[in-house]
Amino acid sequence: MKKSLSAQLSVTLVSLILGLALAAQFKNVQRVGGSVSLQRTQELTRQVQKLEQENEALEARIEEYERRIKEFENAVQSEGQSNKLIYEELERTRMLAGLVDVQGPGVVVTVNVKYVNEWGQDAIVQNVRYDDLLKLVNELNAAGAEAIAINDERIIATTEIRNAGDYIVINTNRYSAPFEIKAIGNPDTLEAALKLLGGVADDLGVYLQINIKRVDNIRIPKYRGTFQYKFAKPVQDTDARS
Amino acid sequence: MKVRKDLLILSFMAMLLSYFIVKCFDNQRIGYDIGVTTSVHKIQELMSQLKALQETNRQLKDDLSQKEVVLNKYEKEATERIYRGEEIRKQLEQARILAGLTDLEGPGIEVILNDRKKDTIMPDEPYSISDFIVHDIDLLEVVNELKAAGAEAIAINGARILATSRISCGGPTITVGAGQRFAPPFIIHAIGDPDALADYFKRPDSVYHILTFYGLEFSIKKLDNVKIPRYYGEVNFDYARPVEGGE
C-alpha cells in the first residue's frame, strides 16, 4: 500500500506539471494567433476604409461629369450656350490651378518677430522660420481654405516654403518678416481653426507675433511664375491606371 | 491492475486541475484573446467586403473613363466651333494638369516612411515613443522638400497633393487631402528629376537626418517611371470667385 501511495503521489506531481506545460503551450499558440489576426484585421480594415473613401469620391466625380454632359447636350441647340460651358470650365480649372486672381471672404494673418527687453535693449526672440508658415498654411487648408497667398505669392500644388539664409523662399522668390498670409474661405472656420486652444496660433504665439483678422473681401493674386513640366506627362493609356 | 486504473484517473484529474488553474488566472488578464474567437469570422467578413469594394471601385473607374470620353468629345466639338477653339482646348488641358485633375507619369522617386520597428527600440533609450513614429509634420516636411527639389506632382499613398491639400494628424492615422486617412507606412511618389529629388534629402538641413537619427524607416528609391493618379475628390468653390476683369 505504501508503494502504491508514493507512486500515486509522483504520478500526480508529474501530471500537474504536464498540465501546466500544456496550458502554457496553448496560451502561447493562442497569443501568436491572436496578434497576427489582429494585425491582419487592422490591415484589412484600413484597406476597406481607403476604398470606401475612394469610391465615394469617384461617385461624386461621376455625378459631376454626368451633370456636365447633360449641360452640353442641352446646349446643343444654341452655340452660345456650349461656348459658355467651355469658358466656365476653363475658368474653374484655372481657378483650381491658381492661374486666376480670386476674391472672397476670409482671413488675413500677419506673422512678425517678437521683441523682448533684454539688458535694456530690444532683442528678437526668434526669426520666422519656414515651418511656422508651413504649419499655418496647412492649418488653413485643413479648415477649408480655397485659395492662399503669402506676401501675395499664391500657394499652388508645387509651392515650396524653405529657409535660405535669413530669407524664406516661396515659389523661388525670397521674403523676410513681416509675413502676410491671405486665405479665402469661411472666415469663422478659418479663424477658429487657428485660434483653437493649444492650436497653431497659441504654439507660434510663444515666440512670434501672430495677428488674425477676418475680412469680408480679400483679393488673392494668381501664380506669377512659369510652369515647366519637363518630366511629368499625362498618362495616355487609361487601362494602365491603377 | 487496480493501482494502474487509480493512477490513470488521478493523473488525468491532476492534469485537468492544473490546466484549469492556469486558465482561471489567465481569464483575469484581459486583452490577448479578444480577437481570437471572432477574428476568423471578422477576417472573412472584411475580405468579402474588400472584394466587393474592389469590384465597385473598378466599375466606378470604368464608368468615369467612359463619361470622360463623352465629355472630351463634347468639349472638342464645342471648341471646334469657337474662334481659336483649339488653343482654348489646349489651355484647358494644361490647366487640368496644373490643377491635379490628370493622371501623370514620368521619372521620379519613391519615398517610404515608416515608424521605427518595435524590436529595435532598447528599453533604456533616452527618447519617448513619440520620437519614433511618423507625425503629420514629418510628412509635411518631406512633401515640402520634394516641392523645393522641383517635384512636378506628388502623391501620398495614392492621394494626389493639391495646392489646398492638408496633412493633419488624427490619432494613429494621418489625413491627406480631402479626408483620406492613412496609417503608416506612408508611400510618397514624386515625379521630377530623380537625382535632384533624391539628393535633396542629403542636404544638411533635410528632415531626413532627423528622422533617420531616431531610427525611423526612410527609404528613397529612384524610379524610371512613376504613375501619379489625379485627385479624385470634389472640387468646389463656395467662397472664392474670380476677380472680374482681373489682370
Side-chain angles (χ1 to χ4, degrees), chain B residues 80-174:
Chain B
E80 270 164 5
R81 293 193 295 265
I82 306 177
Y83 171 61
R84 297 209 304 184
E86 190 52 31
E87 198 177 301
I88 285 164
R89 215 164 60 85
K90 281 220 178 85
Q91 277 182 18
L92 188 56
E93 210 168 276
Q94 184 70 10
R96 280 185 177 145
I97 291 174
L98 296 174
L101 303 176
T102 315
D103 299 330
L104 293 177
E105 65 180 332
I109 63 167
E110 178 183 88
V111 174
I112 298 176
L113 262 186
N114 205 350
D115 298 346
R116 180 161 171 182
K117 290 205 169 47
K118 265 199 196 104
D119 50 8
T120 66
I121 301 171
M122 302 297 154
D124 57 345
E125 203 109 28
Y127 311 105
S128 73
I129 290 291
S130 167
D131 295 327
F132 304 139
I133 61 179
V134 182
H135 290 280
D136 45 355
I137 186 73
D138 303 332
L139 279 178
L140 205 57
E141 295 264 11
V142 171
V143 167
N144 191 45
E145 285 185 19
L146 285 170
K147 287 175 183 176
E152 295 174 354
I154 303 170
I156 300 179
N157 288 11
R160 179 73 167 265
I161 300 295
L162 304 184
T164 54
S165 293
R166 50 97 173 256
I167 299 171
S168 47
C169 180
T173 59
I174 292 180

Side-chain angles (χ1 to χ4, degrees), chain A residues 102 133 136-142 144-156 159 161 171 180-184 190 218 220-221, chain B residues 163-165:
Chain A
V102 286
L133 300 180
L136 283 165
V137 168
N138 193 46
E139 205 59 37
L140 288 167
N141 274 334
E146 294 177 353
I148 299 176
I150 303 178
N151 289 11
D152 279 346
E153 199 67 65
R154 179 77 168 262
I155 305 293
I156 59 164
T159 299
I161 304 174
N171 287 339
E180 189 187 53
I181 307 175
K182 293 179 186 167
I184 294 178
L190 294 176
I218 29 171
I220 292 183
Chain B
T164 54
S165 293

